[in-house]
Amino acid sequence: MDRSNALKTLAAVIGLLALVAVPIIADAAGSTAWISMATRILIYGMAAASLNFALGYGGLVSFGHAAFFGLGGYVVGILYQTYADETLLFGFIPGTNQLLVTLPATILVTGIAAAAIGALSLRTGGVQFIMITLAFAQMLFFFFSGLSAYGGEDGLIIRRTNELFGLNMRDRATLYWVTLAITALFFVIYRRLTMSSFGTIVSGLRQNERRMAALGIEAYRYRLIAFILSGIGTGIAGAMLANVMRFTSPDLLAWHTSGQLMIMVILGGVGTVTGPFLGAAVLLILEDVLNAWTENWPLILGLVLLVVVLQARGGLMAIVNLVRGNRS
Amino acid sequence: MSAPVLKVEGLVKRFGGLTATDHVDFDLADGEIHALIGPNGAGKSTLINQICGEMRQDEGRILLDGLDISGHSAPQRAKMGLARAFQVPSLLNDVTVLDNVTVAVQIRHHRTYRISDSPRGRRDLFAEAEGFLAGTGLAHRGDIVVSDLSHGERKQLELVVARATKPRLLLLDEPMAGLGASESQEMIETLSTLREAHGILLVEHDMDAVFNLADRISVLVYGRIIAHGTVDEIRADPEVQRAYLGEEDA
C-alpha cells in the first residue's frame, strides 16, 4: 500500500516536471506551436473536467456548458475593453486588465449564471435537462451575437493578455506556466472535491436517487451546488482561453463547443479524475494532426471516437487502467 | 406498552376507482415488531410508500413520535428517524459495501456539504461504518463493489444501511424475499436481535418468519385491515384463515 502510494507520488512528480518542461523542450525542438497547443490542452482539460463533475459524477448531462466557457471569455474581454476605453461598465464598474481581478469576476459571473440556469434546468431530468441546458446556452449565444458594442458576431479582440505580478504575459512560455499553475491548483481542488463528503453525496444521487432520498437527501439542492461548481470551473477555463487567444467570440458559446467538451469527457473517461484532461489532449492533437492532413478530418475523428467508445466503455482511462493493471 | 412510535390514522389512498388503502389504522410501539401481512395486491407496498413519504395519502394522518409527518417529504421523514429497506435492493451499485454504509453514517452526522475533506479526513466515518458491518455476514465483504454481491448479500446490506442511520423505526419490505432457506434463517435471527433498539414494521410473505418474529400482526386485504392481534389470535381468526392463510394451504 505504502509502496504503491510512493509510486503514485513519484509518477505525479515526474508528470508535473514534464509539464513544466514543455516550453523548454518545444524551444529546443524549434516547435513553439507546441507551447500554444499545450496551453490550450490545459485550458480545455479544466473545462472538460468541470463538465465531468456535473456529468460523470453527478449524472447531470449538461449540453450547455459552452455558456459558462463563453461567459468566462466575455468577462475578460468586456472588462478589458472597458479598461482600454477608460469608461465604466453599466455606469459604475471600472474595467481592468489584472488577472487577479478578472478571475474572481469570472467566478462571480459564471457562478450566478450557473445558479440561474441550474435552478431552472434541474427541475427537469433526462432528455429535458439536456435540451433546457442547450436552450440556455443558445440564448446566450444569440445574445452575444447581437451585442454589437462588444463585437457582435465577429467577436471581441483583447489587445493584451491580462497582467499578473508584472510577469511578461506576452511571452508564450510565461503564459503557459501561469496557465499550468492555475491548472495545477484547479486539479488539486477538483480531485479533492470528487473524493469529498459532498462529492460522495453527488455521486450517490447519480447512482440511486431513491436510495439517497430514503437516507434523507433532497436531491435538488445538492445537484444545484454541483452544477454551480461545475459552471464556475468551466468559466475559469473560458477566461484563460480568452487570455491566451486574446480573442473571444460567440463561437465559444455555441452548441458545438458544448459538444466538444462532452466528447473530451467521454473520450477520456466519464467519472474519472484525469480522464477529461487526457480526452482534451487527444482530441485537440488529433484535430490538429488530421486537419493538416485532410479537410475531411471530422469524418476520421468520428471514426476514432467510435472505436474508442465502443472498444473501451470507460474511455481512454479504461485503457490506461488496463495497461496499469496488467503490469502490477 | 409505551407511547407509539408510529401511528397511522384513517389512511386512504385511491387510484381512480380503486381504493388501494381503505381507512387503515394501526400503531407500532417502541421495541415492537409489528408485521403487516396480506395476499398479493392487498396494498402493502402502497401503504409502505405512504408511510415513508414516497406517495402522498388522500386522507388521514401519519404520526411519528406523536408528530404529524403527513406533509413531510421522504428525505425529511428519513432525517426524523424513518429508515427503509427496499423489497428489491436499492443501493449505490457502483461503489463498495463499506461506501454504502458510510454514506448513511455521513448523512446522519450532517457531513454532506464539505467539499474538500479528503478520504483521510473521512476516516472516522469509515470506522463507524465498519462497526455496523461487524458481526454481519458482510463483515469481510466491505471492499466488494455492490454490483458484484449476491441477491442475499444485497438484502443484508439493505438492512445494515438502514441500521446505520440509527433510526427510530425500521420499515422492512419483505426482507426474506428471494432468500434461500439458510439465508432466511439468518435474517430472522438478525431481526430478532434488532427489536431491542428499534420499532420494526415488517411486511413479509414468509409466514414462518412472521409467526417467529412478530409481537403483533395486522392483516391487510383489498386495502383494508381485516384483523389485528397477537400471533395466536391471528392464527385462530377464521376470517384470516379464509381470506389469506387458507389460500396458502390450498
Side-chain angles (χ1 to χ4, degrees):
Chain A
M1 192 71 196
D2 276 346
R3 196 161 164 201
S4 80
N5 271 342
L7 274 176
K8 265 187 196 166
T9 314
L10 189 69
V13 169
I14 291 173
L16 192 61
L17 283 177
L19 285 172
V20 170
V22 164
I24 299 160
I25 298 165
D27 264 347
S31 315
T32 47
W34 290 6
I35 303 176
S36 316
M37 175 56 86
T39 314
R40 284 179 59 223
I41 288 172
L42 293 176
I43 290 168
Y44 274 91
M46 277 195 279
S50 301
L51 172 61
N52 186 38
F53 184 63
L55 191 154
Y57 289 89
L60 307 171
V61 185
S62 163
F63 199 14
H65 261 51
F68 311 119
F69 202 46
L71 270 180
Y74 271 100
V75 167
V76 171
I78 291 175
L79 285 176
Y80 183 83
Q81 178 154 322
T82 311
Y83 164 82
D85 294 348
E86 295 180 358
T87 56
L88 292 174
L89 183 61
F90 306 130
F92 71 101
I93 303 170
T96 179
N97 67 340
Q98 297 296 318
L99 196 63
L100 286 181
V101 180
T102 55
L103 284 188
T106 300
I107 292 173
L108 189 70
V109 170
T110 53
I112 291 169
I117 294 175
L120 294 168
S121 309
L122 286 168
R123 298 192 179 279
T124 68
V127 177
Q128 287 171 345
F129 180 80
I130 301 176
M131 287 298 129
I132 287 195
T133 48
L134 172 64
F136 276 114
Q138 287 301 95
M139 272 163 60
L140 282 171
F141 168 77
F142 287 113
F143 173 76
F144 281 101
S145 296
L147 198 62
S148 50
Y150 297 105
E153 281 177 12
D154 299 333
L156 184 58
I157 291 168
I158 301 159
R159 291 208 35 221
R160 286 210 181 128
T161 303
N162 281 177
E163 289 177 2
L164 177 73
F165 307 133
L167 293 169
N168 178 13
M169 298 287 271
R170 295 166 94 174
D171 177 45
R172 283 181 175 202
T174 307
L175 190 52
Y176 170 80
W177 282 316
V178 168
T179 309
L180 181 61
I182 290 170
T183 309
L185 183 64
F186 170 93
F187 187 79
V188 169
I189 295 171
Y190 158 70
R191 188 164 170 271
R192 261 288 175 90
L193 180 63
T194 61
M195 297 186 298
S196 69
S197 289
F198 176 74
T200 312
I201 298 292
V202 168
S203 135
L205 283 169
R206 182 201 74 235
Q207 294 171 59
N208 193 339
E209 184 174 346
R210 193 176 185 208
R211 160 50 66 197
M212 296 304 277
L215 290 174
I217 293 296
E218 312 262 8
Y220 183 78
R221 58 181 80 151
Y222 291 91
R223 286 186 172 147
L224 182 57
I225 295 171
F227 192 79
I228 293 171
L229 293 175
S230 169
I232 288 174
T234 308
I236 291 172
M240 286 313 293
L241 190 70
N243 269 305
V244 168
M245 312 294 282
R246 278 181 277 123
F247 177 67
T248 191
S249 79
D251 270 355
L252 281 188
L253 291 147
W255 66 269
H256 50 81
T257 307
S258 293
Q260 201 180 14
L261 295 179
M262 220 185 246
I263 291 171
M264 287 170 180
V265 173
I266 294 166
L267 185 64
V270 175
T272 61
V273 178
T274 39
F277 288 93
L278 200 60
V282 170
L283 189 71
L284 291 177
I285 291 171
L286 260 182
E287 264 181 18
D288 201 53
V289 170
L290 293 177
N291 199 8
W293 186 44
T294 162
E295 63 181 38
N296 294 322
W297 61 272
L299 185 67
I300 301 170
L301 190 64
L303 288 173
V304 172
L305 279 176
L306 213 59
V307 170
V308 171
V309 173
L310 288 180
Q311 285 302 305
R313 290 199 60 193
L316 292 168
M317 277 313 284
I319 299 172
V320 171
N321 287 333
L322 207 66
V323 173
R324 228 191 242 158
N326 284 347
R327 222 183 272 160
S328 68
Chain B
M1 206 172 273
S2 53
V5 180
L6 178 75
K7 205 165 159 49
V8 172
E9 295 176 351
L11 213 62
V12 176
K13 178 77 193 174
R14 296 186 190 90
F15 297 111
L18 178 79
T19 309
T21 307
D22 192 357
H23 297 90
V24 166
D25 293 281
F26 73 91
D27 58 54
L28 195 148
D30 213 354
E32 180 191 28
I33 297 185
H34 191 141
L36 188 66
I37 63 173
N40 282 326
K44 300 187 298 286
S45 295
T46 307
L47 185 56
I48 283 255
N49 284 339
Q50 288 170 85
I51 293 172
C52 74
E54 273 188 11
M55 201 181 268
R56 198 56 54 89
Q57 74 278 9
D58 294 324
E59 286 172 35
R61 298 199 304 165
I62 300 162
L63 296 112
L64 185 68
D65 283 320
L67 204 78
D68 188 352
I69 57 166
S70 307
H72 289 44
S73 70
Q76 284 170 326
R77 294 182 200 194
K79 276 188 193 146
M80 294 172 73
L82 238 154
R84 172 179 197 184
F86 291 94
Q87 183 182 350
V88 178
S90 183
L91 297 154
L92 307 181
N93 291 331
D94 302 349
V95 294
T96 66
V97 168
L98 184 63
D99 288 333
N100 269 268
V101 187
T102 306
V103 167
V105 171
Q106 93 178 66
I107 293 169
R108 172 160 48 78
H109 287 300
H110 306 289
R111 290 260 293 269
T112 55
Y113 286 112
R114 293 193 193 178
I115 59 169
S116 70
D117 52 349
S118 61
R120 197 173 297 165
R122 287 161 48 80
R123 213 180 256 167
D124 54 330
L125 300 175
F126 287 118
E128 197 181 332
E130 302 241 20
F132 283 98
L133 283 174
T136 73
L138 295 166
H140 303 290
R141 304 277 284 163
D143 294 337
I144 310 293
V145 175
V146 170
S147 53
D148 292 336
L149 291 182
S150 71
H151 175 76
E153 287 175 317
R154 290 184 205 200
K155 293 293 272 189
Q156 283 186 53
L157 183 54
E158 278 277 333
L159 192 62
V160 176
V161 169
R163 275 176 48 221
T165 66
K166 290 199 178 167
R168 287 286 291 135
L169 176 65
L170 279 170
L171 296 178
L172 306 181
D173 198 352
E174 300 197 21
M176 322 287 167
L179 296 190
S182 66
E183 284 176 324
S184 288
Q185 202 49 47
E186 271 173 45
M187 186 61 88
I188 291 174
E189 278 159 30
T190 310
L191 292 182
S192 65
T193 63
L194 287 180
R195 76 168 80 207
E196 308 284 306
H198 322 272
I200 297 178
L201 178 62
L202 177 68
V203 173
E204 188 49 66
H205 265 306
D206 183 334
M207 285 303 127
D208 282 344
V210 169
F211 289 144
N212 241 308
L213 287 166
D215 298 300
R216 284 191 294 163
I217 299 174
S218 294
V219 183
L220 196 70
V221 176
Y222 294 122
R224 191 178 290 166
I225 292 190
I226 60 161
H228 63 155
T230 63
V231 172
D232 292 336
E233 285 164 1
I234 292 298
R235 268 201 231 243
D237 191 310
E239 203 180 346
V240 176
Q241 296 270 349
R242 195 171 55 249
Y244 185 33
L245 298 176
E247 286 177 2
E248 292 227 325
D249 290 342

